[in-house]
Amino acid sequence: MAFQRGDQVEVLNKEEGFEGSYFPAYIIPRISNKEYIVQYKTLVQGDGSGPLREVFSTDKIRPKPWDIVATDFCLSEVVDAYDNDGWWVGKIIRKMGSKYLVYFKSSSEKKAYPLHWLRVHQEWKDGVWEYSKK
């Protein structure tokens, strides 16, 4: 997929400790047919001087997912939880009052989130968004 300057995207991070996370960003310029410079919306330079920019290959960049309104989640449903400036893929393992306990396979952690910090998990496959929530 070809992106244009200013497109809202998410960048997949596969570094140790960040597996299964997507960070919101904008496309800055295209370097080649396979690489872009992105500017993160939420991450800043180490010295705090401004937004962090990095080069990514197209296989690590996806368009911003659709906004799907969810009023509830079911047990075992795969979701994205917003934490540490990005979206992390996890699974609902319990509902606790108004919060959902989410299990993250990549780190074996469990953490409770209110509904507004969760979203329907979507996968970008062959240029189409796929999701299980109807």
Side-chain angles (χ1 to χ4, degrees):
M1 172 175 200
F3 296 103
Q4 303 298 317
R5 179 184 291 269
D7 283 353
Q8 293 185 55
V9 296
E10 289 186 346
V11 179
L12 174 62
N13 195 327
K14 289 189 175 182
E15 292 180 27
E16 186 176 334
F18 291 92
E19 299 93 343
S21 63
Y22 296 89
F23 290 86
Y26 292 100
I27 295 294
I28 304 299
R30 182 167 90 178
I31 296 174
S32 70
N33 287 338
K34 295 183 180 183
E35 288 188 320
Y36 293 86
I37 296 175
V38 301
Q39 178 175 301
Y40 291 98
K41 288 184 180 181
T42 55
L43 301 179
V44 297
Q45 298 284 346
D47 62 4
S49 63
L52 180 61
R53 291 182 177 190
E54 291 186 314
V55 175
F56 281 94
S57 60
T58 54
D59 64 329
K60 304 280 190 305
I61 303 171
R62 68 184 195 176
K64 179 182 178 283
W66 297 107
D67 290 326
I68 300 173
V69 177
T71 57
D72 194 19
F73 290 103
C74 302
L75 291 181
S76 298
E77 188 169 351
V78 177
V79 296
D80 296 337
Y82 190 77
D83 204 344
N84 294 322
D85 299 317
W87 292 99
W88 300 75
V89 179
K91 184 185 285 190
I92 301 290
I93 59 171
R94 185 183 319 152
K95 186 169 182 182
M96 305 174 344
S98 63
K99 293 188 176 183
Y100 296 85
L101 189 62
V102 179
Y103 171 73
F104 301 97
K105 185 178 179 181
S106 63
S107 63
S108 298
E109 292 180 275
K110 300 173 189 171
K111 191 168 180 183
Y113 296 92
L115 179 67
H116 66 275
W117 284 10
L118 300 174
R119 70 180 184 190
V120 174
H121 178 71
Q122 300 172 70
E123 288 288 334
W124 182 248
K125 292 184 180 176
D126 300 321
V128 177
W129 282 112
E130 293 182 359
Y131 59 96
S132 60
K133 192 97 169 161
K134 301 293 181 201

